[in-house]
Amino acid sequence: MKLNERSLAFYATCDSPADNSGFLYKRGERHTAYHRRWFVLKGNMLFYFEERDSREPVGVIVLEGCNVELCDSAEGFAFAIRFGGTKSRTYVLAAESQAAMESWVKSLSRASFDYMRLVVRELEKQLQEMGGGLAGGCGGSREPPGPWKPKPSGLEQSRERLPALPAILPKENGCAVWNNVLGAARLPESSGCGGHGEEGTPRPPPLPPRRRVGNGEAASAGPAVAQSPSTFCRLHQQYGREVARLRQDWQQRQRGPRL
């Protein structure tokens, strides 16, 4: 695999975040002496510098097809990066503490694309199992869920239970009668007095006849009503006495003739 040195040097020293960085002791390939180097891990590439402030890396290790494992060495906290193949090189590194060694071994083991591929496959498998469990809990339906609809509130549910009102309300004596519209929803009242209909509900008293007013009376009464505020009181008393008389007559007829 060919690598561009300038591109690698720029990538190693750019401001992109590193997965891990710190000082490690690296054993030489020909000489077994350890040299202290500054290591920077970015993706699947492990760069090492002579010093922390060096502008270019001394070398790079591509972490593909390798295993990271602990090893026995004269230096404490040592671990090795081994590649497959007879002529492949083994890199032996040593950390300054147990915690640093564990951190580097963990991060180096997860740096390769092979590891990421395994993680993605495992997550896809878990996602498929979760999707199958949800479908089985809903009766095994494989159909995609429909659009979400909000649940109706209590006010909307109460409105749905109310009977529909007609477009034009019935009128008696020129006034809309609401009781006739909702009469079907009322419960029958039980009463011991007479005057019941066929279904056992009491009949209401007859309404007073509508009084017709002539054109002359309406013309003469119009200005009086507009000018005198006591006209309503007089009309109320007059019609009230008439209604009371009719109600009394109705009650006497319901009681029947006196013996």
Side-chain angles (χ1 to χ4, degrees):
M1 181 175 61
K2 295 182 180 180
L3 299 176
N4 191 322
E5 295 183 1
R6 293 184 178 180
S7 299
L8 287 177
F10 174 78
Y11 180 61
T13 57
C14 67
D15 296 335
S16 61
D19 299 324
N20 202 349
S21 62
F23 282 104
L24 292 174
Y25 293 92
K26 176 180 172 295
R27 191 177 69 179
E29 183 178 4
R30 297 179 180 180
H31 304 282
T32 58
Y34 284 86
H35 302 278
R36 193 169 183 260
R37 298 286 184 257
W38 175 258
F39 283 80
V40 176
L41 176 63
K42 289 187 176 183
N44 63 339
M45 294 185 178
L46 179 62
F47 300 94
Y48 54 94
F49 303 79
E50 289 186 358
E51 298 294 338
R52 184 172 183 174
D53 299 332
S54 300
R55 295 183 178 181
E56 294 183 358
V58 178
V60 59
I61 304 173
V62 181
L63 302 172
E64 293 296 336
C66 62
N67 295 324
V68 182
E69 56 188 24
L70 302 180
C71 64
D72 296 333
S73 176
E75 292 287 337
F77 313 114
F79 57 93
I81 302 176
R82 302 182 185 276
F83 291 87
T86 55
K87 297 182 179 181
S88 299
R89 179 182 174 182
T90 299
Y91 294 88
V92 180
L93 306 175
E96 296 179 350
S97 62
Q98 180 71 21
M101 181 192 68
E102 294 177 358
S103 175
W104 274 107
V105 170
K106 184 182 297 184
S107 58
L108 293 175
S109 301
R110 299 177 178 179
S112 64
F113 285 107
D114 293 336
Y115 176 82
M116 297 301 298
R117 191 179 297 110
L118 293 176
V119 172
V120 171
R121 290 178 181 177
E122 183 65 22
L123 292 176
E124 290 178 350
K125 182 179 179 181
Q126 295 179 6
L127 184 60
Q128 291 178 358
E129 293 177 355
M130 292 175 61
L134 293 176
C138 298
S141 176
R142 296 292 182 178
E143 297 180 359
W148 178 82
K149 296 181 179 180
K151 186 177 180 182
S153 59
L155 180 58
E156 294 178 356
Q157 292 179 355
S158 62
R159 289 178 179 176
E160 293 177 359
R161 290 194 294 266
L162 292 177
L165 296 178
I168 302 177
L169 297 176
K171 296 184 179 182
E172 294 182 5
N173 282 351
C175 299
V177 182
W178 293 89
N179 294 335
N180 293 341
V181 179
L182 304 179
R186 294 180 303 189
L187 296 176
E189 300 178 358
S190 59
S191 175
C193 59
H196 290 70
E198 296 179 358
E199 299 178 359
T201 58
R203 296 179 179 177
L207 295 174
R210 185 174 182 181
R211 187 172 183 179
R212 298 178 179 271
V213 182
N215 295 333
E217 295 180 1
S220 61
V225 172
Q227 296 176 3
S228 176
S230 61
T231 304
F232 175 80
C233 298
R234 292 199 302 270
L235 292 175
H236 184 272
Q237 293 177 1
Q238 180 181 353
Y239 282 106
R241 288 193 297 268
E242 186 176 0
V243 171
R245 180 178 58 81
L246 291 174
R247 184 173 181 275
Q248 186 177 4
D249 296 342
W250 175 77
Q251 290 178 352
Q252 289 179 0
R253 288 197 301 271
Q254 295 296 330
R255 294 172 185 172
R258 296 183 180 178
L259 300 179

